[in-house]
Amino acid sequence: MNNKGDIIKTGIQQYRSGTLSILEDSVCAEEPLEIRVPFATTEGKVEYRTLAITMRTPGNDIELARGFLYSEGVIAEAADIKGFYYCDERGEAGSRNSLALQLKVPLSLDSHLLERRFTTYSSCGLCGKTSIQSLELQNPPRLCEQTGIFNALLLHQLSAKTLKHQQLFQQTGSAHASGLFDFEGNLVKLCEDIGRHNALDKLIGYCLAEKPEQLKK
């Protein structure tokens, strides 16, 4: 089942066999998501500030924000986030597109993370980076040569399996997806978004909170 608001209807022009027609089509929705986190002031107070704004397909926003904060090195585990709420006081747009994350430990106002406080487009995972060093991988995976080896033939089948379960893509033809599979090739979780890095952040955010049993093998 699709998330509410992830698909919109719009008019398109279709040119076929020398004829131009006006049709209605389904496309992926794209709206901004403002991610706000607490910062500790020099006066000992806590105030929420905008850390980033990303263009995304609405739905699974907490997973997206959780995965984004983990990928950026802001949190190390899901428990670092105590709660969240949509910022209704910021108006109609804020009630859907401004998300505040309550962290166990507020960030420092002199944090380098404030360098990346502007829009990240759905097509780009590097927007807002201000240095080569900031491109370094956060929380790199720990690889083992003895376990976690996928069968090569099975690995090549996963793309088709992912596409088969992409409901958003099937309805719009314009959605990216990230999928989590077990070692038998069974789909555990799939996340879709108009932005490929958003789809991955949503999946990361899901895994942090749910801790699928398949990840422990």
Side-chain angles (χ1 to χ4, degrees):
M1 181 178 295
N2 297 117
N3 298 296
K4 183 179 180 181
D6 59 2
I7 295 177
I8 60 176
K9 297 289 187 179
T10 187
I12 64 169
Q13 292 181 329
Q14 181 185 81
Y15 185 79
R16 177 176 295 175
S17 302
T19 302
L20 182 65
S21 304
I22 305 298
L23 305 174
E24 184 180 71
D25 196 15
S26 297
V27 299
C28 287
E30 183 178 30
E31 296 184 16
L33 177 67
E34 178 187 33
I35 299 175
R36 295 172 59 80
V37 295
F39 285 85
T41 68
T42 55
E43 294 80 16
K45 299 180 180 179
V46 174
E47 59 182 45
Y48 280 78
R49 295 196 179 189
T50 300
L51 180 64
I53 299 176
T54 182
M55 299 299 293
R56 96 305 189 193
T57 299
N60 304 109
D61 289 338
I62 182 58
E63 287 86 354
L64 171 58
R66 186 189 296 122
F68 175 83
L69 294 185
Y70 179 81
S71 299
E72 292 296 319
V74 179
I75 64 172
E77 58 182 356
D80 290 337
I81 299 176
K82 298 191 302 180
F84 66 93
Y85 61 90
Y86 284 95
C87 305
D88 295 338
E89 74 278 3
R90 297 171 72 81
E92 176 63 22
S95 67
R96 298 165 295 142
N97 294 328
S98 182
L99 184 66
L101 285 300
Q102 299 165 311
L103 305 181
K104 283 199 304 186
V105 180
L107 303 180
S108 170
L109 277 177
D110 61 0
S111 171
H112 69 282
L113 293 167
L114 281 176
E115 296 177 359
R116 192 184 179 179
R117 290 177 56 210
F118 54 86
T119 302
T120 301
Y121 296 98
S122 59
S123 59
C124 176
L126 304 181
C127 299
K129 293 296 190 180
T130 57
S131 67
I132 295 297
Q133 289 77 13
S134 66
L135 298 178
E136 294 179 356
L137 183 64
Q138 300 289 338
N139 301 304
R142 296 183 294 275
L143 302 180
C144 176
E145 295 180 355
Q146 305 302 319
T147 61
I149 304 299
F150 247 100
N151 176 279
L153 180 60
L154 180 61
L155 184 63
H156 285 285
Q157 297 173 353
L158 299 186
S159 178
K161 286 188 175 183
T162 298
L163 182 60
K164 180 180 178 181
H165 289 88
Q166 283 187 250
Q167 295 185 28
L168 188 58
F169 179 81
Q170 291 170 10
Q171 295 182 60
T172 66
S174 57
H176 293 285
S178 291
L180 173 66
F181 292 84
D182 63 20
F183 288 107
E184 284 71 49
N186 300 308
L187 180 64
V188 178
K189 178 68 175 180
L190 182 137
C191 295
E192 291 186 273
D193 196 280
I194 196 170
R196 57 176 64 87
H197 56 91
N198 287 339
L200 181 57
D201 278 343
K202 287 179 178 180
L203 184 60
I204 292 173
Y206 163 83
C207 291
L208 284 175
E210 300 300 328
K211 298 181 180 179
E213 189 65 30
Q214 290 79 356
L215 296 181
K216 303 175 184 178
K217 295 182 179 181

